[in-house]
Amino acid sequence: MMTGIIFSNIYDTALGVLSANRTVASLPFGGRYRFIDFTLSNMVNSGVRNIGVITKYNYQSLMDHLGSCQEWDLNNKNDSLYIIPPFASGRSEVYRGKLEALHTSINFLKSQKSQYVLLSDTITICNIDYREVLEEHIKSGADVTLIATKPANYTDDHVVVVEADSDNKATKITLNYPASEKALVGMGMFIMDREILIKEVEEAVADGFFHFEKDFVQKKFNLGTLNINIYEFEDVVLRNKDISTYFKNNLSLLDEKVRKGLFKKNSPIYTKVRDEIPSYYGENSVVNECVIADGCKIEGFVENSIIFRDVKIAEGVQIINSVIMQGTKIAKDAYIENAILDKNVTITEGIRLIGASDNPVIIKKGETV
Amino acid sequence: MLDRQKECIAMLLAGGQGSRLLVLTEKTAKPAVPFGGKYRIIDFPLSNCVNSGIDTVGILTQYQPLELNDYIGNGQPWGLNRNFGGAHILPPYAQSKKMEWYKGTANAIYQNLSFVENYNPKHVIILSGDHIYKMDYKKMLKYHIKNNAECTIAVRDVPMAEASRFGIMNTNEDGSIYQFEEKPANPKSNHASMGVYIFKWEILRKYLIEDEADTTSDNDFGKNIIPALLRDGRRLFAYTFDGYWKDVGTISSLWEANMDILDGQFNLKDKNFKIFARNYAQPSSYISASSDIKHSFVAEGCTVKGKVKHSVVSTGCVIEEDVEISDSVIMPGAVIKKGAVIKYAIIGEGVTVEENCKIGDNPEYFDKDSWGIAVIGKGETVEKNTIIRPNEVI
């Protein structure tokens, strides 16, 4: 079948203070999840059961989250998750891009028996069945299948913009460029032959190249030596390329269509179990349009917000359009609008925090306001 | 194996049918009945064990064991997946010369003597799977060892007026038990047995074997084993537990216990004494603008668009618009459709209540004898516009 490779640190800088002390992969999302929960659950639900997670730095929180991986059913004899730290192979330095990152995991890749490899970053959130993609990949006979989707907009730059013909064969690839009407944008997910990947990575790194999309995908495509199949994924895709989209994507869970696209009965998203009690709604609580996790105590007013586990919201508090992460406590009469409160933040009585809907106020992990 | 020894292992009696829970236990053993939004009754004794440092639990099942077996699995959700020890499901099994069901609580342990002996324990704690409470068995074990007791029985002090409903332990000043009276008409004291016993294993073993040889015995801890120890002048002590404890053997007590967590009588939230449960990977709950939730618990995986007051809504429920739920327990996966009104009711697992049903009612409109909690059994569908009266059981 397929071996999975997850890049846990790619795009770390894009998410600013939120990823200052954690890998992007362990960024909290949607009340009870981390980014990597979606990537891992999609793989596991698609039968990809040997997975390497490539790390660079700050991976303590990620390791803590993954633990023995039993939540993803990966603590079996034959199925396993391997955390691959940066200096896994002899001659590598801390990597600069996905090609070098893959080079640190070359021994892992060589030890695998599967014919195909699935590569994925963690900033793209969706619920996808990779079995279907693999089937299409095999049918196409292409060297690489690039998973893509309709762009969220036609103004921003996208990491990978592709155009394809009616046989889904790529005809044009541009990087860091706005998408045209007929183009799709890459989801940071690729399927290819394992042996070919190993060979390409070894050659590219020997030549001093490190950027997977630029130095391998685009370059070889332009040289005419790489056949690329485009798989268009048509369900919900949330790509978290910066803090503002991260904020928007969290709040988009209030849309039933988005929830239905991400949470499916037959392909559940797994996460670390924390054994919190159900959430308690007090005598004066008012909750309008919210997603709320376990273990919370809500006595105040909350609207259009995502509330993670074990959050305390005291009486007289008003929370509007905000993302409140695990373990945060908000004391009486505070007013919070357009804000991201990271884990274990304490907001004292009567504090007012007001951000803009495209530029939320961010309070860092563990801080007291 | 013999050089490895456990200080104390637990034997959890989970075979009871729980017939007084009516439709809720028609297809499920009582210990697997949902409680408190995301738990099952058996989570409480199991979590107590783990939080008390007991890592070996034999779970004796007999009635409708499939769901319970599935739920316990390898014991991982409770941290009971151990190399030496852990959770073990122990159903009755065929031996070379005979095969029999568990005849009584004592016989259930007797039939598993060899399981216990694997662990060569100094003490064995006997638990039952139908009580809601948080208890540190370690403290009780310490008391048991300090007294050099052969058997220690956990008791709680009930109001004297109610004492005649319980098994009462009459004690001396030092806590030693001189008499056990089952539901005495004129109780001498108010120390009611909780059905939690710690025995020195060598003593329990001897009495189980003797009890088995006695063909007239009911093979029951309360009726036979404890009286036999007392008769022989063994060292029995009562250990007083003063925390929350509830036998959830009836519909009304199960409902009350759920209300007790709402009303602060019983606090589940304690970082140092968590109640563990198997988790089913449900997303966080969605609460719409049309919702109105007051003084209630809502677990994960729910969609709430209606009114919920003073109720427990369990994992994965859907509460549609214009629904009114009050003073009720909605068990996991139930779907309550538009316009339904539910008062003083228990809605079983996976039930669908179609539009505009009315289930249960407030006690003040009824005379005391005709009123009771309305119950919808696991997996039922209540058709549109149905009226289910208080005390009715579907």
Side-chain angles (χ1 to χ4, degrees):
Chain A
M1 251 297 278
M2 275 196 291
T3 295
I5 293 278
I6 298 176
F7 301 99
S8 71
N9 288 85
I10 298 291
Y11 307 112
D12 265 2
T13 49
L15 283 135
V17 291
L18 293 175
S19 56
N21 291 305
R22 52 165 83 95
T23 62
V24 151
S26 49
L27 221 69
F29 188 86
R32 66 195 303 262
Y33 303 102
R34 309 274 188 148
F35 279 1
I36 197 169
D37 294 338
F38 292 86
T39 325
L40 268 184
S41 301
N42 283 336
M43 288 189 179
V44 168
N45 291 334
S46 305
V48 178
R49 308 197 60 99
N50 281 286
I51 300 170
V53 179
I54 305 181
T55 59
K56 191 175 191 176
Y57 39 67
N58 282 339
Y59 47 89
Q60 186 269 333
S61 72
L62 181 67
M63 292 178 70
D64 175 51
H65 180 69
L66 297 175
S68 70
C69 297
Q70 69 81 22
E71 276 94 349
W72 294 269
D73 227 353
L74 287 170
N75 54 341
N76 300 333
K77 295 270 180 195
N78 299 321
D79 311 331
S80 294
L81 183 135
Y82 302 83
I83 295 198
I84 300 165
F87 303 101
S89 82
R91 62 193 164 110
S92 59
E93 300 166 42
V94 173
Y95 57 82
R96 290 170 289 176
K98 284 187 201 168
L99 277 177
E100 283 186 346
L102 284 165
H103 197 256
T104 70
S105 65
I106 210 87
N107 290 336
F108 168 74
L109 280 170
K110 285 181 176 169
S111 72
Q112 294 298 302
K113 294 178 188 78
S114 61
Q115 188 178 349
Y116 300 99
V117 183
L118 165 65
L119 307 174
S120 178
D121 61 43
T122 58
I123 66 163
T124 304
I125 286 172
C126 63
N127 192 324
I128 183 170
D129 188 345
Y130 291 121
R131 285 171 298 196
E132 232 172 79
V133 187
L134 179 62
E135 212 172 283
E136 293 293 316
H137 174 71
I138 294 169
K139 236 191 273 170
S140 75
D143 303 313
V144 175
T145 286
L146 187 158
I147 304 175
T149 185
K150 289 223 160 52
N153 64 61
Y154 295 95
T155 48
D156 291 353
D157 288 351
H158 298 281
V159 177
V160 176
V161 180
V162 290
E163 288 175 24
D165 62 18
S166 55
D167 293 330
N168 302 321
K169 222 179 140 210
T171 53
K172 188 179 172 191
I173 293 184
T174 44
L175 304 182
N176 300 313
Y177 202 71
S180 70
E181 293 282 341
K182 53 184 175 180
L184 297 174
V185 296
M187 288 164 59
M189 300 166 187
F190 302 88
I191 287 180
M192 63 185 294
D193 187 277
R194 183 173 57 88
E195 302 280 350
I196 295 176
L197 178 68
I198 291 169
K199 183 176 141 275
E200 292 292 345
V201 165
E202 285 187 326
E203 279 177 21
V205 171
D207 288 340
F209 296 117
F210 57 86
H211 197 288
F212 184 79
E213 284 87 350
K214 177 167 154 262
D215 298 332
F216 169 61
V217 178
Q218 190 187 37
K219 187 174 143 199
K220 294 266 163 145
F221 173 78
N222 287 344
L223 285 171
T225 54
L226 195 68
N227 265 317
I228 299 176
N229 172 51
I230 306 298
Y231 177 91
E232 185 181 354
F233 179 69
E234 290 176 333
D235 210 332
V236 171
V237 177
L238 304 175
R239 195 157 169 89
N240 300 284
K241 68 184 178 79
D242 51 27
I243 286 176
S244 141
T245 53
Y246 167 80
F247 182 60
K248 215 176 74 199
N249 286 339
N250 262 289
L251 295 180
S252 76
L253 285 180
L254 298 171
D255 181 349
E256 191 178 356
K257 211 174 69 210
V258 174
R259 287 199 308 277
K260 282 201 166 144
L262 291 183
F263 305 116
K264 298 177 178 178
K265 217 174 175 179
N266 295 326
S267 48
I269 307 299
Y270 302 99
T271 187
K272 183 177 179 175
V273 171
R274 296 191 53 89
D275 296 295
E276 293 287 351
I277 68 166
S279 281
Y280 175 75
Y281 298 72
E283 206 56 72
N284 298 311
S285 77
V286 177
V287 178
N288 294 336
E289 290 295 307
C290 287
V291 163
I292 297 188
D294 261 5
C296 298
K297 188 171 183 188
I298 300 170
E299 311 265 13
F301 173 89
V302 196
E303 189 172 78
N304 276 326
S305 296
I306 309 294
I307 311 294
F308 285 66
R309 292 158 163 169
D310 200 22
V311 168
K312 270 203 184 115
I313 298 170
E315 273 188 47
V317 167
Q318 292 184 65
I319 297 176
I320 298 158
N321 278 335
S322 294
V323 174
I324 315 290
M325 292 189 203
Q326 187 179 312
T328 285
K329 289 177 181 51
I330 302 165
K332 258 174 46 187
D333 301 328
Y335 181 94
I336 292 160
E337 187 175 349
N338 291 320
I340 299 175
L341 310 188
D342 205 328
K343 277 176 76 177
N344 300 322
V345 162
T346 305
I347 303 292
T348 51
E349 220 176 296
I351 292 288
R352 293 174 68 82
L353 286 175
I354 304 175
S357 61
D358 55 352
N359 187 16
V361 182
I362 299 174
I363 306 298
K364 280 192 272 185
K365 187 170 164 179
E367 282 194 353
T368 299
V369 182
Chain B
M1 206 61 118
L2 271 179
D3 51 348
R4 297 179 87 178
Q5 182 173 33
K6 295 274 183 193
E7 173 81 7
C8 183
I9 73 166
M11 296 297 273
L12 203 169
L13 299 159
Q17 181 177 357
S19 49
R20 287 174 303 156
L21 285 176
L22 311 170
V23 289
L24 295 177
T25 51
E26 217 162 67
K27 299 174 195 118
T28 309
K30 181 154 78 165
V33 167
F35 177 81
K38 64 173 286 193
Y39 307 98
R40 288 175 192 271
I41 296 171
I42 198 168
D43 289 331
F44 290 83
L46 283 180
S47 302
N48 286 342
C49 282
V50 171
N51 289 322
S52 307
I54 295 170
D55 66 3
T56 306
V57 186
I59 301 163
L60 300 132
T61 60
Q62 176 156 289
Y63 172 78
Q64 291 282 13
L66 286 185
E67 189 174 1
L68 199 57
N69 291 353
D70 211 29
Y71 186 71
I72 301 298
N74 68 348
Q76 182 280 326
W78 303 269
L80 287 171
N81 48 339
R82 310 296 288 245
N83 286 335
F84 180 57
H88 294 260
I89 300 267
L90 304 171
Y93 58 93
Q95 297 167 18
S96 59
K97 291 200 184 70
K98 57 175 181 178
M99 154 77 211
E100 57 185 2
W101 296 105
Y102 293 149
K103 291 180 286 181
T105 50
N107 175 256
I109 310 292
Y110 172 82
Q111 289 203 34
N112 287 288
L113 284 178
S114 55
F115 169 80
V116 179
E117 276 166 356
N118 258 339
Y119 297 100
N120 188 24
K122 288 186 196 148
H123 309 280
V124 171
I125 184 165
I126 310 290
L127 305 168
S128 67
D130 37 17
H131 302 145
I132 299 291
Y133 64 119
K134 288 195 295 190
M135 179 174 177
D136 188 347
Y137 302 138
K138 209 166 37 223
K139 288 184 186 157
M140 179 174 168
L141 181 62
K142 231 170 156 183
Y143 175 87
H144 172 77
I145 292 169
K146 193 191 80 193
N147 288 321
N148 193 25
E150 288 163 313
C151 170
T152 299
I153 300 171
V155 297
R156 46 185 209 106
D157 294 346
V158 296
M160 212 52 198
E162 288 177 27
S164 57
R165 288 174 33 216
F166 296 93
I168 295 297
M169 300 294 160
N170 296 319
T171 56
N172 301 309
E173 247 168 52
D174 63 352
S176 60
I177 300 167
Y178 66 89
Q179 191 183 28
F180 166 60
E181 292 181 293
E182 184 65 37
K183 299 183 180 156
N186 300 301
K188 296 191 192 85
S189 75
N190 62 342
H191 307 310
S193 168
M194 293 164 56
V196 173
Y197 313 102
I198 298 180
F199 289 93
K200 268 190 184 162
W201 171 237
E202 57 192 277
I203 298 295
L204 178 59
R205 188 175 181 281
K206 171 174 154 34
Y207 277 82
L208 286 175
I209 292 170
E210 285 174 13
D211 179 67
E212 188 61 21
D214 175 2
T215 49
T216 62
S217 171
D218 287 327
N219 308 116
D220 184 86
F221 274 95
K223 280 188 210 148
N224 308 106
I225 302 289
I226 303 297
L229 265 82
L230 277 168
R231 199 178 51 228
D232 294 354
R234 294 282 173 188
R235 288 180 68 81
L236 279 80
F237 280 77
Y239 172 80
T240 307
F241 174 71
D242 55 10
Y244 180 90
W245 180 89
K246 191 132 196 157
D247 181 340
V248 287
T250 63
I251 293 291
S252 61
S253 64
L254 179 65
W255 176 84
E256 277 167 27
N258 273 284
M259 295 301 126
D260 287 344
I261 55 168
L262 277 175
D263 300 334
Q265 308 280 332
F266 183 41
N267 181 21
L268 288 174
K269 196 168 174 98
D270 181 351
K271 282 207 160 69
N272 300 316
F273 208 99
K274 277 189 176 179
I275 303 302
F276 305 104
R278 186 169 286 278
N279 191 288
Y280 293 101
Q282 296 266 4
S284 303
S285 287
Y286 166 73
I287 314 294
S288 84
S290 58
S291 75
D292 182 7
I293 310 176
K294 299 280 193 286
H295 196 28
S296 294
F297 276 109
V298 178
E300 288 199 300
C302 295
T303 297
V304 181
K305 297 179 177 174
K307 276 191 187 170
V308 180
K309 292 214 162 51
H310 196 240
S311 295
V312 174
V313 178
S314 310
T315 313
C317 289
V318 176
I319 314 291
E320 292 191 350
E321 289 96 342
D322 304 317
V323 166
E324 287 183 36
I325 296 173
S326 55
D327 306 290
S328 295
V329 178
I330 314 295
M331 287 184 173
V335 176
I336 316 295
K337 299 210 173 152
K338 279 180 198 153
V341 179
I342 297 175
K343 296 177 179 174
Y344 291 90
I346 296 178
I347 307 297
E349 256 186 291
V351 163
T352 302
V353 174
E354 295 288 348
E355 288 174 25
N356 302 316
C357 289
K358 286 202 177 359
I359 298 176
D361 212 335
N362 292 333
E364 49 260 42
Y365 308 132
F366 294 83
D367 67 71
K368 223 179 153 192
D369 300 327
S370 67
W371 183 87
I373 301 299
V375 184
I376 313 294
K378 186 175 171 179
E380 297 288 336
T381 296
V382 184
E383 297 301 334
K384 252 187 185 176
N385 305 319
T386 309
I387 295 177
I388 312 270
R389 295 175 51 79
N391 225 356
E392 219 177 305
V393 175
I394 303 293

